[in-house]
Amino acid sequence: LFVALSMWAAPYKVGQSVMPLDLNDQFGKRYTLKAMPKTLIMAFEKGTGATVNEYLTVQEKGYLAKNKAAFVADISQMPKFITESFALPKMRKYTHTVLLIQDEEQGLNFPAQEDKITVMKFRGNFLTKVEFISTPAELKKAIEQ
């Protein structure tokens, strides 16, 4: 059973089809990504999330949509009190959409490296590339290519 569960929770790999995602944004609005965007940016830690949010905050309105990209923050490890009292009110000040993973099991489906932003590229729902980046310059290049 443990082997079956660990295989089920293995992160997506290049060449694999990614199932549609149902996530709420920072305002509680439900989004269903039936088709994956060209670029999915993911943050699994406070520091990497801050890097992405700082970068996106200074971009023009509609920047993510224009580049066929979406930003997902995994906040499943955050205590509920912290999420509701501090994190969500701060996120609500952003003009860009932050999709939220609040279920730890769902977060395990995505590749991650410590202190890195995960950038996943898709063609349709098929994962074509995964890279781990850390700087705003790398983020800009990953989104705009």
mmCIF file with all atom_site columns, all heavy atoms in Angstrom, residues 28-53:
data_model
loop_
_atom_site.group_PDB
_atom_site.id
_atom_site.type_symbol
_atom_site.label_atom_id
_atom_site.label_alt_id
_atom_site.label_comp_id
_atom_site.label_asym_id
_atom_site.label_entity_id
_atom_site.label_seq_id
_atom_site.pdbx_PDB_ins_code
_atom_site.Cartn_x
_atom_site.Cartn_y
_atom_site.Cartn_z
_atom_site.occupancy
_atom_site.B_iso_or_equiv
_atom_site.pdbx_formal_charge
_atom_site.auth_seq_id
_atom_site.auth_comp_id
_atom_site.auth_asym_id
_atom_site.auth_atom_id
_atom_site.pdbx_PDB_model_num
ATOM 1   N N   . GLY A 1 28 ? -10.633 33.588 -3.161  1.00 0.00 ? 28 GLY A N   1
ATOM 2   C CA  . GLY A 1 28 ? -11.567 32.481 -2.996  1.00 0.00 ? 28 GLY A CA  1
ATOM 3   C C   . GLY A 1 28 ? -12.311 32.129 -4.267  1.00 0.00 ? 28 GLY A C   1
ATOM 4   O O   . GLY A 1 28 ? -13.180 31.267 -4.261  1.00 0.00 ? 28 GLY A O   1
ATOM 5   N N   . LYS A 1 29 ? -11.989 32.797 -5.372  1.00 0.00 ? 29 LYS A N   1
ATOM 6   C CA  . LYS A 1 29 ? -12.634 32.493 -6.657  1.00 0.00 ? 29 LYS A CA  1
ATOM 7   C C   . LYS A 1 29 ? -12.051 31.193 -7.200  1.00 0.00 ? 29 LYS A C   1
ATOM 8   O O   . LYS A 1 29 ? -10.844 30.989 -7.211  1.00 0.00 ? 29 LYS A O   1
ATOM 9   C CB  . LYS A 1 29 ? -12.390 33.634 -7.652  1.00 0.00 ? 29 LYS A CB  1
ATOM 10  C CG  . LYS A 1 29 ? -13.058 33.411 -8.991  1.00 0.00 ? 29 LYS A CG  1
ATOM 11  C CD  . LYS A 1 29 ? -12.816 34.556 -9.955  1.00 0.00 ? 29 LYS A CD  1
ATOM 12  C CE  . LYS A 1 29 ? -13.419 34.228 -11.305 1.00 0.00 ? 29 LYS A CE  1
ATOM 13  N NZ  . LYS A 1 29 ? -12.998 35.175 -12.326 1.00 0.00 ? 29 LYS A NZ  1
ATOM 14  N N   . ARG A 1 30 ? -12.933 30.320 -7.666  1.00 0.00 ? 30 ARG A N   1
ATOM 15  C CA  . ARG A 1 30 ? -12.541 29.002 -8.176  1.00 0.00 ? 30 ARG A CA  1
ATOM 16  C C   . ARG A 1 30 ? -12.103 29.121 -9.626  1.00 0.00 ? 30 ARG A C   1
ATOM 17  O O   . ARG A 1 30 ? -12.770 29.744 -10.446 1.00 0.00 ? 30 ARG A O   1
ATOM 18  C CB  . ARG A 1 30 ? -13.733 28.054 -8.078  1.00 0.00 ? 30 ARG A CB  1
ATOM 19  C CG  . ARG A 1 30 ? -13.383 26.625 -8.302  1.00 0.00 ? 30 ARG A CG  1
ATOM 20  C CD  . ARG A 1 30 ? -12.872 26.096 -7.012  1.00 0.00 ? 30 ARG A CD  1
ATOM 21  N NE  . ARG A 1 30 ? -12.666 24.667 -7.059  1.00 0.00 ? 30 ARG A NE  1
ATOM 22  C CZ  . ARG A 1 30 ? -11.801 24.087 -6.275  1.00 0.00 ? 30 ARG A CZ  1
ATOM 23  N NH1 . ARG A 1 30 ? -11.096 24.795 -5.419  1.00 0.00 ? 30 ARG A NH1 1
ATOM 24  N NH2 . ARG A 1 30 ? -11.639 22.795 -6.307  1.00 0.00 ? 30 ARG A NH2 1
ATOM 25  N N   . TYR A 1 31 ? -10.957 28.508 -9.944  1.00 0.00 ? 31 TYR A N   1
ATOM 26  C CA  . TYR A 1 31 ? -10.445 28.439 -11.314 1.00 0.00 ? 31 TYR A CA  1
ATOM 27  C C   . TYR A 1 31 ? -10.277 26.973 -11.676 1.00 0.00 ? 31 TYR A C   1
ATOM 28  O O   . TYR A 1 31 ? -9.733  26.201 -10.894 1.00 0.00 ? 31 TYR A O   1
ATOM 29  C CB  . TYR A 1 31 ? -9.073  29.116 -11.433 1.00 0.00 ? 31 TYR A CB  1
ATOM 30  C CG  . TYR A 1 31 ? -9.136  30.617 -11.470 1.00 0.00 ? 31 TYR A CG  1
ATOM 31  C CD1 . TYR A 1 31 ? -9.248  31.352 -10.304 1.00 0.00 ? 31 TYR A CD1 1
ATOM 32  C CD2 . TYR A 1 31 ? -9.073  31.301 -12.676 1.00 0.00 ? 31 TYR A CD2 1
ATOM 33  C CE1 . TYR A 1 31 ? -9.306  32.736 -10.333 1.00 0.00 ? 31 TYR A CE1 1
ATOM 34  C CE2 . TYR A 1 31 ? -9.122  32.688 -12.710 1.00 0.00 ? 31 TYR A CE2 1
ATOM 35  C CZ  . TYR A 1 31 ? -9.237  33.391 -11.536 1.00 0.00 ? 31 TYR A CZ  1
ATOM 36  O OH  . TYR A 1 31 ? -9.294  34.760 -11.571 1.00 0.00 ? 31 TYR A OH  1
ATOM 37  N N   . THR A 1 32 ? -10.721 26.614 -12.864 1.00 0.00 ? 32 THR A N   1
ATOM 38  C CA  . THR A 1 32 ? -10.485 25.277 -13.383 1.00 0.00 ? 32 THR A CA  1
ATOM 39  C C   . THR A 1 32 ? -9.607  25.419 -14.610 1.00 0.00 ? 32 THR A C   1
ATOM 40  O O   . THR A 1 32 ? -10.011 26.033 -15.600 1.00 0.00 ? 32 THR A O   1
ATOM 41  C CB  . THR A 1 32 ? -11.802 24.569 -13.751 1.00 0.00 ? 32 THR A CB  1
ATOM 42  O OG1 . THR A 1 32 ? -12.608 24.472 -12.569 1.00 0.00 ? 32 THR A OG1 1
ATOM 43  C CG2 . THR A 1 32 ? -11.534 23.174 -14.294 1.00 0.00 ? 32 THR A CG2 1
ATOM 44  N N   . LEU A 1 33 ? -8.388  24.901 -14.501 1.00 0.00 ? 33 LEU A N   1
ATOM 45  C CA  . LEU A 1 33 ? -7.476  24.907 -15.649 1.00 0.00 ? 33 LEU A CA  1
ATOM 46  C C   . LEU A 1 33 ? -7.677  23.585 -16.387 1.00 0.00 ? 33 LEU A C   1
ATOM 47  O O   . LEU A 1 33 ? -7.031  22.582 -16.088 1.00 0.00 ? 33 LEU A O   1
ATOM 48  C CB  . LEU A 1 33 ? -6.021  25.048 -15.177 1.00 0.00 ? 33 LEU A CB  1
ATOM 49  C CG  . LEU A 1 33 ? -5.674  26.306 -14.398 1.00 0.00 ? 33 LEU A CG  1
ATOM 50  C CD1 . LEU A 1 33 ? -4.215  26.286 -13.966 1.00 0.00 ? 33 LEU A CD1 1
ATOM 51  C CD2 . LEU A 1 33 ? -5.953  27.551 -15.222 1.00 0.00 ? 33 LEU A CD2 1
ATOM 52  N N   . LYS A 1 34 ? -8.630  23.588 -17.338 1.00 0.00 ? 34 LYS A N   1
ATOM 53  C CA  . LYS A 1 34 ? -8.893  22.370 -18.109 1.00 0.00 ? 34 LYS A CA  1
ATOM 54  C C   . LYS A 1 34 ? -7.744  22.099 -19.062 1.00 0.00 ? 34 LYS A C   1
ATOM 55  O O   . LYS A 1 34 ? -7.356  20.966 -19.285 1.00 0.00 ? 34 LYS A O   1
ATOM 56  C CB  . LYS A 1 34 ? -10.209 22.501 -18.866 1.00 0.00 ? 34 LYS A CB  1
ATOM 57  C CG  . LYS A 1 34 ? -11.408 22.523 -17.949 1.00 0.00 ? 34 LYS A CG  1
ATOM 58  C CD  . LYS A 1 34 ? -12.697 22.687 -18.705 1.00 0.00 ? 34 LYS A CD  1
ATOM 59  C CE  . LYS A 1 34 ? -13.837 22.757 -17.718 1.00 0.00 ? 34 LYS A CE  1
ATOM 60  N NZ  . LYS A 1 34 ? -15.079 23.210 -18.311 1.00 0.00 ? 34 LYS A NZ  1
ATOM 61  N N   . ALA A 1 35 ? -7.218  23.163 -19.634 1.00 0.00 ? 35 ALA A N   1
ATOM 62  C CA  . ALA A 1 35 ? -6.022  23.073 -20.464 1.00 0.00 ? 35 ALA A CA  1
ATOM 63  C C   . ALA A 1 35 ? -4.938  23.852 -19.735 1.00 0.00 ? 35 ALA A C   1
ATOM 64  O O   . ALA A 1 35 ? -5.169  24.973 -19.274 1.00 0.00 ? 35 ALA A O   1
ATOM 65  C CB  . ALA A 1 35 ? -6.267  23.666 -21.841 1.00 0.00 ? 35 ALA A CB  1
ATOM 66  N N   . MET A 1 36 ? -3.791  23.254 -19.605 1.00 0.00 ? 36 MET A N   1
ATOM 67  C CA  . MET A 1 36 ? -2.704  23.913 -18.888 1.00 0.00 ? 36 MET A CA  1
ATOM 68  C C   . MET A 1 36 ? -2.215  25.113 -19.695 1.00 0.00 ? 36 MET A C   1
ATOM 69  O O   . MET A 1 36 ? -2.223  25.086 -20.926 1.00 0.00 ? 36 MET A O   1
ATOM 70  C CB  . MET A 1 36 ? -1.559  22.932 -18.655 1.00 0.00 ? 36 MET A CB  1
ATOM 71  C CG  . MET A 1 36 ? -1.936  21.739 -17.780 1.00 0.00 ? 36 MET A CG  1
ATOM 72  S SD  . MET A 1 36 ? -2.600  22.199 -16.167 1.00 0.00 ? 36 MET A SD  1
ATOM 73  C CE  . MET A 1 36 ? -1.144  22.872 -15.404 1.00 0.00 ? 36 MET A CE  1
ATOM 74  N N   . PRO A 1 37 ? -1.784  26.165 -19.009 1.00 0.00 ? 37 PRO A N   1
ATOM 75  C CA  . PRO A 1 37 ? -1.211  27.308 -19.729 1.00 0.00 ? 37 PRO A CA  1
ATOM 76  C C   . PRO A 1 37 ? 0.131   26.898 -20.325 1.00 0.00 ? 37 PRO A C   1
ATOM 77  O O   . PRO A 1 37 ? 0.680   25.853 -19.964 1.00 0.00 ? 37 PRO A O   1
ATOM 78  C CB  . PRO A 1 37 ? -1.026  28.355 -18.631 1.00 0.00 ? 37 PRO A CB  1
ATOM 79  C CG  . PRO A 1 37 ? -0.872  27.565 -17.381 1.00 0.00 ? 37 PRO A CG  1
ATOM 80  C CD  . PRO A 1 37 ? -1.733  26.343 -17.558 1.00 0.00 ? 37 PRO A CD  1
ATOM 81  N N   . LYS A 1 38 ? 0.662   27.705 -21.203 1.00 0.00 ? 38 LYS A N   1
ATOM 82  C CA  . LYS A 1 38 ? 1.979   27.422 -21.784 1.00 0.00 ? 38 LYS A CA  1
ATOM 83  C C   . LYS A 1 38 ? 3.040   27.337 -20.685 1.00 0.00 ? 38 LYS A C   1
ATOM 84  O O   . LYS A 1 38 ? 3.920   26.481 -20.718 1.00 0.00 ? 38 LYS A O   1
ATOM 85  C CB  . LYS A 1 38 ? 2.337   28.514 -22.788 1.00 0.00 ? 38 LYS A CB  1
ATOM 86  C CG  . LYS A 1 38 ? 3.667   28.324 -23.465 1.00 0.00 ? 38 LYS A CG  1
ATOM 87  C CD  . LYS A 1 38 ? 3.921   29.469 -24.454 1.00 0.00 ? 38 LYS A CD  1
ATOM 88  C CE  . LYS A 1 38 ? 5.336   29.959 -24.267 1.00 0.00 ? 38 LYS A CE  1
ATOM 89  N NZ  . LYS A 1 38 ? 5.612   31.193 -24.971 1.00 0.00 ? 38 LYS A NZ  1
ATOM 90  N N   . THR A 1 39 ? 2.933   28.227 -19.695 1.00 0.00 ? 39 THR A N   1
ATOM 91  C CA  . THR A 1 39 ? 3.903   28.266 -18.608 1.00 0.00 ? 39 THR A CA  1
ATOM 92  C C   . THR A 1 39 ? 3.184   28.282 -17.269 1.00 0.00 ? 39 THR A C   1
ATOM 93  O O   . THR A 1 39 ? 2.293   29.102 -17.058 1.00 0.00 ? 39 THR A O   1
ATOM 94  C CB  . THR A 1 39 ? 4.787   29.533 -18.713 1.00 0.00 ? 39 THR A CB  1
ATOM 95  O OG1 . THR A 1 39 ? 5.376   29.588 -20.009 1.00 0.00 ? 39 THR A OG1 1
ATOM 96  C CG2 . THR A 1 39 ? 5.875   29.536 -17.651 1.00 0.00 ? 39 THR A CG2 1
ATOM 97  N N   . LEU A 1 40 ? 3.576   27.375 -16.395 1.00 0.00 ? 40 LEU A N   1
ATOM 98  C CA  . LEU A 1 40 ? 3.050   27.342 -15.039 1.00 0.00 ? 40 LEU A CA  1
ATOM 99  C C   . LEU A 1 40 ? 4.208   27.622 -14.090 1.00 0.00 ? 40 LEU A C   1
ATOM 100 O O   . LEU A 1 40 ? 5.205   26.910 -14.088 1.00 0.00 ? 40 LEU A O   1
ATOM 101 C CB  . LEU A 1 40 ? 2.435   25.973 -14.729 1.00 0.00 ? 40 LEU A CB  1
ATOM 102 C CG  . LEU A 1 40 ? 1.639   25.867 -13.441 1.00 0.00 ? 40 LEU A CG  1
ATOM 103 C CD1 . LEU A 1 40 ? 0.391   26.743 -13.509 1.00 0.00 ? 40 LEU A CD1 1
ATOM 104 C CD2 . LEU A 1 40 ? 1.239   24.422 -13.186 1.00 0.00 ? 40 LEU A CD2 1
ATOM 105 N N   . ILE A 1 41 ? 4.091   28.715 -13.333 1.00 0.00 ? 41 ILE A N   1
ATOM 106 C CA  . ILE A 1 41 ? 5.102   29.117 -12.375 1.00 0.00 ? 41 ILE A CA  1
ATOM 107 C C   . ILE A 1 41 ? 4.618   28.656 -11.007 1.00 0.00 ? 41 ILE A C   1
ATOM 108 O O   . ILE A 1 41 ? 3.470   28.934 -10.634 1.00 0.00 ? 41 ILE A O   1
ATOM 109 C CB  . ILE A 1 41 ? 5.265   30.649 -12.361 1.00 0.00 ? 41 ILE A CB  1
ATOM 110 C CG1 . ILE A 1 41 ? 5.561   31.158 -13.766 1.00 0.00 ? 41 ILE A CG1 1
ATOM 111 C CG2 . ILE A 1 41 ? 6.340   31.088 -11.377 1.00 0.00 ? 41 ILE A CG2 1
ATOM 112 C CD1 . ILE A 1 41 ? 4.869   32.444 -14.066 1.00 0.00 ? 41 ILE A CD1 1
ATOM 113 N N   . MET A 1 42 ? 5.481   27.992 -10.253 1.00 0.00 ? 42 MET A N   1
ATOM 114 C CA  . MET A 1 42 ? 5.070   27.465 -8.958  1.00 0.00 ? 42 MET A CA  1
ATOM 115 C C   . MET A 1 42 ? 6.054   27.844 -7.872  1.00 0.00 ? 42 MET A C   1
ATOM 116 O O   . MET A 1 42 ? 7.262   27.757 -8.061  1.00 0.00 ? 42 MET A O   1
ATOM 117 C CB  . MET A 1 42 ? 4.925   25.948 -9.034  1.00 0.00 ? 42 MET A CB  1
ATOM 118 C CG  . MET A 1 42 ? 3.925   25.511 -10.090 1.00 0.00 ? 42 MET A CG  1
ATOM 119 S SD  . MET A 1 42 ? 3.398   23.827 -9.911  1.00 0.00 ? 42 MET A SD  1
ATOM 120 C CE  . MET A 1 42 ? 2.424   23.931 -8.437  1.00 0.00 ? 42 MET A CE  1
ATOM 121 N N   . ALA A 1 43 ? 5.506   28.246 -6.733  1.00 0.00 ? 43 ALA A N   1
ATOM 122 C CA  . ALA A 1 43 ? 6.316   28.546 -5.551  1.00 0.00 ? 43 ALA A CA  1
ATOM 123 C C   . ALA A 1 43 ? 5.831   27.658 -4.410  1.00 0.00 ? 43 ALA A C   1
ATOM 124 O O   . ALA A 1 43 ? 4.627   27.550 -4.170  1.00 0.00 ? 43 ALA A O   1
ATOM 125 C CB  . ALA A 1 43 ? 6.196   30.014 -5.180  1.00 0.00 ? 43 ALA A CB  1
ATOM 126 N N   . PHE A 1 44 ? 6.793   27.042 -3.736  1.00 0.00 ? 44 PHE A N   1
ATOM 127 C CA  . PHE A 1 44 ? 6.465   26.128 -2.638  1.00 0.00 ? 44 PHE A CA  1
ATOM 128 C C   . PHE A 1 44 ? 6.924   26.656 -1.282  1.00 0.00 ? 44 PHE A C   1
ATOM 129 O O   . PHE A 1 44 ? 6.706   26.010 -0.273  1.00 0.00 ? 44 PHE A O   1
ATOM 130 C CB  . PHE A 1 44 ? 7.101   24.755 -2.902  1.00 0.00 ? 44 PHE A CB  1
ATOM 131 C CG  . PHE A 1 44 ? 6.532   24.070 -4.096  1.00 0.00 ? 44 PHE A CG  1
ATOM 132 C CD1 . PHE A 1 44 ? 7.097   24.253 -5.353  1.00 0.00 ? 44 PHE A CD1 1
ATOM 133 C CD2 . PHE A 1 44 ? 5.416   23.269 -3.998  1.00 0.00 ? 44 PHE A CD2 1
ATOM 134 C CE1 . PHE A 1 44 ? 6.562   23.638 -6.472  1.00 0.00 ? 44 PHE A CE1 1
ATOM 135 C CE2 . PHE A 1 44 ? 4.869   22.646 -5.106  1.00 0.00 ? 44 PHE A CE2 1
ATOM 136 C CZ  . PHE A 1 44 ? 5.448   22.835 -6.345  1.00 0.00 ? 44 PHE A CZ  1
ATOM 137 N N   . GLU A 1 45 ? 7.589   27.813 -1.276  1.00 0.00 ? 45 GLU A N   1
ATOM 138 C CA  . GLU A 1 45 ? 8.123   28.384 -0.040  1.00 0.00 ? 45 GLU A CA  1
ATOM 139 C C   . GLU A 1 45 ? 7.867   29.886 -0.017  1.00 0.00 ? 45 GLU A C   1
ATOM 140 O O   . GLU A 1 45 ? 7.682   30.511 -1.062  1.00 0.00 ? 45 GLU A O   1
ATOM 141 C CB  . GLU A 1 45 ? 9.637   28.140 0.044   1.00 0.00 ? 45 GLU A CB  1
ATOM 142 C CG  . GLU A 1 45 ? 10.013  26.672 0.006   1.00 0.00 ? 45 GLU A CG  1
ATOM 143 C CD  . GLU A 1 45 ? 11.472  26.450 -0.374  1.00 0.00 ? 45 GLU A CD  1
ATOM 144 O OE1 . GLU A 1 45 ? 12.055  27.294 -1.084  1.00 0.00 ? 45 GLU A OE1 1
ATOM 145 O OE2 . GLU A 1 45 ? 12.017  25.429 0.029   1.00 0.00 ? 45 GLU A OE2 1
ATOM 146 N N   . LYS A 1 46 ? 7.908   30.460 1.171   1.00 0.00 ? 46 LYS A N   1
ATOM 147 C CA  . LYS A 1 46 ? 7.657   31.889 1.329   1.00 0.00 ? 46 LYS A CA  1
ATOM 148 C C   . LYS A 1 46 ? 8.628   32.732 0.495   1.00 0.00 ? 46 LYS A C   1
ATOM 149 O O   . LYS A 1 46 ? 8.228   33.668 -0.189  1.00 0.00 ? 46 LYS A O   1
ATOM 150 C CB  . LYS A 1 46 ? 7.761   32.268 2.804   1.00 0.00 ? 46 LYS A CB  1
ATOM 151 C CG  . LYS A 1 46 ? 7.471   33.714 3.087   1.00 0.00 ? 46 LYS A CG  1
ATOM 152 C CD  . LYS A 1 46 ? 7.590   34.034 4.571   1.00 0.00 ? 46 LYS A CD  1
ATOM 153 C CE  . LYS A 1 46 ? 7.311   35.499 4.810   1.00 0.00 ? 46 LYS A CE  1
ATOM 154 N NZ  . LYS A 1 46 ? 7.454   35.846 6.220   1.00 0.00 ? 46 LYS A NZ  1
ATOM 155 N N   . GLY A 1 47 ? 9.904   32.394 0.520   1.00 0.00 ? 47 GLY A N   1
ATOM 156 C CA  . GLY A 1 47 ? 10.917  33.177 -0.192  1.00 0.00 ? 47 GLY A CA  1
ATOM 157 C C   . GLY A 1 47 ? 10.743  33.148 -1.695  1.00 0.00 ? 47 GLY A C   1
ATOM 158 O O   . GLY A 1 47 ? 10.837  34.188 -2.358  1.00 0.00 ? 47 GLY A O   1
ATOM 159 N N   . THR A 1 48 ? 10.472  31.976 -2.249  1.00 0.00 ? 48 THR A N   1
ATOM 160 C CA  . THR A 1 48 ? 10.289  31.887 -3.702  1.00 0.00 ? 48 THR A CA  1
ATOM 161 C C   . THR A 1 48 ? 8.983   32.553 -4.119  1.00 0.00 ? 48 THR A C   1
ATOM 162 O O   . THR A 1 48 ? 8.910   33.197 -5.156  1.00 0.00 ? 48 THR A O   1
ATOM 163 C CB  . THR A 1 48 ? 10.339  30.425 -4.192  1.00 0.00 ? 48 THR A CB  1
ATOM 164 O OG1 . THR A 1 48 ? 9.358   29.647 -3.485  1.00 0.00 ? 48 THR A OG1 1
ATOM 165 C CG2 . THR A 1 48 ? 11.723  29.811 -3.979  1.00 0.00 ? 48 THR A CG2 1
ATOM 166 N N   . GLY A 1 49 ? 7.968   32.434 -3.277  1.00 0.00 ? 49 GLY A N   1
ATOM 167 C CA  . GLY A 1 49 ? 6.703   33.119 -3.556  1.00 0.00 ? 49 GLY A CA  1
ATOM 168 C C   . GLY A 1 49 ? 6.893   34.629 -3.570  1.00 0.00 ? 49 GLY A C   1
ATOM 169 O O   . GLY A 1 49 ? 6.348   35.330 -4.419  1.00 0.00 ? 49 GLY A O   1
ATOM 170 N N   . ALA A 1 50 ? 7.697   35.129 -2.634  1.00 0.00 ? 50 ALA A N   1
ATOM 171 C CA  . ALA A 1 50 ? 7.970   36.571 -2.583  1.00 0.00 ? 50 ALA A CA  1
ATOM 172 C C   . ALA A 1 50 ? 8.691   37.031 -3.843  1.00 0.00 ? 50 ALA A C   1
ATOM 173 O O   . ALA A 1 50 ? 8.368   38.096 -4.395  1.00 0.00 ? 50 ALA A O   1
ATOM 174 C CB  . ALA A 1 50 ? 8.790   36.906 -1.341  1.00 0.00 ? 50 ALA A CB  1
ATOM 175 N N   . THR A 1 51 ? 9.641   36.253 -4.330  1.00 0.00 ? 51 THR A N   1
ATOM 176 C CA  . THR A 1 51 ? 10.366  36.609 -5.555  1.00 0.00 ? 51 THR A CA  1
ATOM 177 C C   . THR A 1 51 ? 9.400   36.727 -6.729  1.00 0.00 ? 51 THR A C   1
ATOM 178 O O   . THR A 1 51 ? 9.442   37.698 -7.486  1.00 0.00 ? 51 THR A O   1
ATOM 179 C CB  . THR A 1 51 ? 11.463  35.566 -5.866  1.00 0.00 ? 51 THR A CB  1
ATOM 180 O OG1 . THR A 1 51 ? 12.387  35.533 -4.774  1.00 0.00 ? 51 THR A OG1 1
ATOM 181 C CG2 . THR A 1 51 ? 12.193  35.888 -7.160  1.00 0.00 ? 51 THR A CG2 1
ATOM 182 N N   . VAL A 1 52 ? 8.519   35.741 -6.873  1.00 0.00 ? 52 VAL A N   1
ATOM 183 C CA  . VAL A 1 52 ? 7.551   35.757 -7.984  1.00 0.00 ? 52 VAL A CA  1
ATOM 184 C C   . VAL A 1 52 ? 6.597   36.944 -7.828  1.00 0.00 ? 52 VAL A C   1
ATOM 185 O O   . VAL A 1 52 ? 6.367   37.684 -8.787  1.00 0.00 ? 52 VAL A O   1
ATOM 186 C CB  . VAL A 1 52 ? 6.774   34.429 -8.069  1.00 0.00 ? 52 VAL A CB  1
ATOM 187 C CG1 . VAL A 1 52 ? 5.688   34.512 -9.147  1.00 0.00 ? 52 VAL A CG1 1
ATOM 188 C CG2 . VAL A 1 52 ? 7.705   33.262 -8.343  1.00 0.00 ? 52 VAL A CG2 1
ATOM 189 N N   . ASN A 1 53 ? 6.060   37.139 -6.642  1.00 0.00 ? 53 ASN A N   1
ATOM 190 C CA  . ASN A 1 53 ? 5.100   38.232 -6.429  1.00 0.00 ? 53 ASN A CA  1
ATOM 191 C C   . ASN A 1 53 ? 5.737   39.599 -6.644  1.00 0.00 ? 53 ASN A C   1
ATOM 192 O O   . ASN A 1 53 ? 5.120   40.480 -7.241  1.00 0.00 ? 53 ASN A O   1
ATOM 193 C CB  . ASN A 1 53 ? 4.466   38.131 -5.044  1.00 0.00 ? 53 ASN A CB  1
ATOM 194 C CG  . ASN A 1 53 ? 3.430   37.032 -4.988  1.00 0.00 ? 53 ASN A CG  1
ATOM 195 O OD1 . ASN A 1 53 ? 2.596   36.903 -5.883  1.00 0.00 ? 53 ASN A OD1 1
ATOM 196 N ND2 . ASN A 1 53 ? 3.486   36.226 -3.955  1.00 0.00 ? 53 ASN A ND2 1
#
